[in-house]
Amino acid sequence: MEDGRSVDVSVVMPVYNGEKFLKEAIDSVLAQTFENFEFIIADDGSTDDTPQIIAAYTDKRIKYFRNEHDYIQTLNAAMKMAQAPFIARMDADDRMMPQRLQIQHDYLLSNSQIDVCGSWFRTLGERESSLYKVMSDPEEIKVALLTMNPVAHPTVMMRRSCIEELVAVDPAGPYRPAYIYAEDYFLWCELSAMGHSISNIQQCLLEYRFSDKQVTRVHNSIMLRHARAVQNFYCMQVAREMTENLPQTICLWNELFQLANEKIIPFRTLLEVSTALYRSFRKTSCRKE
């Protein structure tokens, strides 16, 4: 089991100055009912007691490395280290439910058509705990990606073959620095555009922590700007998919993009119209296959 090639799941967890909640996160991984995994902990140049906390663990499943502070580079390095056929993402301030790895591993084994699976999650931290029941149907998710990110990053388990495919496109790794703080959103859109299916298991498998130090709060304006860039990218992919299958729609798409570029219609309107068109296309065309 010390040889990564013999494990069934690679858990990848980046951490930067995570001393406050790190032990809770690590303990929740090591307490999984599913035991055949490697646990890659990637220290993104922490300046607090993070290294000392990790060093106190002797579990041989832990593989620790430290990088200079560059989140995307650190995360990419960790993902490329993963040797198991399935990769589970985890954040250093969250907590896994005890059966998370077992449930997701079994789900992917039983559903060969699904490449990425997230789950419902419950919130932790400064606000009252709430259960988030995210959508599960792969077709709904594929369409919803046009206007939102329906997949919580730290709930995800994915096939390593997806990561290998993305690394073949860009050897730096599956996460793109150009979309930092929305890098997971772009990942789902890129995989979806490649034809991979994404689902969410209808069970709560993670406790997700809200705090005022979250990257999505500290860098909210950058995240929103990059999220819009992701939506623009995905809208172009959707337009390409539809025009390849329905050439007669090319004039409509050209007109929509021109109106949005000239700000005659809001970008949000472009997304809403695209969503309606794509939903209809997926129902009438793709499901006939």
Side-chain angles (χ1 to χ4, degrees):
M1 195 153 57
E2 291 176 43
D3 181 351
R5 289 170 296 180
S6 67
V7 296
D8 294 318
V9 174
S10 297
V11 179
V12 171
M13 185 179 78
V15 55
Y16 175 68
N17 288 348
E19 62 180 7
K20 188 173 182 182
F21 302 113
L22 180 58
K23 190 175 186 304
E24 289 183 52
I26 293 176
D27 288 347
S28 76
V29 176
L30 298 181
Q32 289 293 295
T33 58
F34 182 92
E35 297 181 344
N36 192 25
F37 63 87
E38 63 175 352
F39 187 10
I40 300 169
I41 303 179
D43 183 355
D44 187 35
S46 297
T47 57
D48 63 359
D49 286 339
T50 288
Q52 290 76 19
I53 293 170
I54 298 168
Y57 287 88
T58 58
D59 194 304
K60 293 182 179 180
R61 293 173 295 184
I62 294 176
K63 296 181 178 180
Y64 169 73
F65 75 94
R66 180 177 171 86
N67 251 6
E68 294 296 321
H69 184 42
D70 183 330
Y71 177 73
I72 297 295
Q73 184 184 69
T74 298
L75 183 53
N76 277 335
M79 294 293 281
K80 290 192 291 183
M81 279 179 62
Q83 294 297 307
F86 303 114
I87 301 174
R89 277 284 288 109
M90 176 66 174
D91 283 347
D93 55 355
D94 298 333
R95 296 194 302 234
M96 285 188 184
M97 306 304 285
Q99 292 185 304
R100 174 193 166 180
L101 295 184
Q102 186 71 65
I103 291 170
Q104 290 187 300
H105 173 265
D106 293 350
Y107 178 83
L108 288 173
L109 279 182
S110 301
N111 295 273
S112 59
Q113 77 281 10
I114 302 297
D115 300 300
V116 179
C117 70
S119 74
W120 294 353
F121 60 94
R122 186 174 296 280
T123 57
L124 283 172
E126 61 190 39
R127 62 177 66 179
E128 184 178 348
S129 179
S130 299
L131 177 63
Y132 282 74
K133 297 182 177 182
V134 288
M135 63 183 67
S136 61
D137 182 76
E139 283 295 321
E140 289 183 13
I141 290 172
K142 194 171 186 70
V143 173
L145 283 166
L146 277 161
T147 55
M148 60 179 287
N149 182 356
V151 184
H153 198 187
T155 71
V156 159
M157 184 181 286
M158 67 188 83
R159 299 183 190 277
R160 182 163 58 92
S161 57
C162 293
I163 301 305
E164 292 170 342
E165 189 174 344
L166 292 168
V167 170
V169 175
D170 184 347
Y175 294 94
R176 313 306 187 199
Y179 300 97
I180 189 169
Y181 311 130
E183 70 280 347
D184 57 322
Y185 190 8
F186 184 78
L187 179 63
W188 317 141
C189 289
E190 188 171 24
L191 286 172
S192 183
M194 288 176 167
H196 295 290
S197 292
I198 302 170
S199 182
N200 283 309
I201 294 172
Q202 294 182 298
Q203 289 179 253
C204 177
L205 301 181
L206 185 92
E207 292 180 305
Y208 180 89
R209 192 178 303 276
F210 280 100
S211 74
D212 58 3
K213 292 184 179 180
Q214 277 182 299
V215 167
T216 51
R217 291 193 182 185
V218 176
H219 301 286
N220 185 258
S221 61
I222 299 174
M223 182 194 70
L224 292 175
R225 185 170 72 248
H226 288 176
R228 175 164 175 165
V230 171
Q231 291 166 341
N232 185 66
F233 160 82
Y234 192 56
C235 193
M236 295 290 288
Q237 304 308 306
V238 164
R240 183 174 294 113
E241 180 187 353
M242 287 186 61
T243 54
E244 285 175 355
N245 288 275
L246 299 170
Q248 63 270 30
T249 66
I250 193 167
C251 291
L252 172 61
W253 282 105
N254 287 340
E255 183 70 19
L256 281 173
F257 283 118
Q258 183 176 346
L259 290 171
N261 288 333
E262 294 176 0
K263 298 184 178 180
I264 296 173
I265 63 171
F267 179 68
R268 189 74 189 177
T269 300
L270 169 63
L271 293 181
E272 290 170 353
V273 174
S274 301
T275 298
L277 289 171
Y278 195 43
R279 180 174 289 111
S280 176
F281 167 74
R282 298 293 302 180
K283 284 182 178 179
T284 60
S285 179
C286 295
R287 289 186 173 176
K288 291 180 182 178
E289 298 177 2

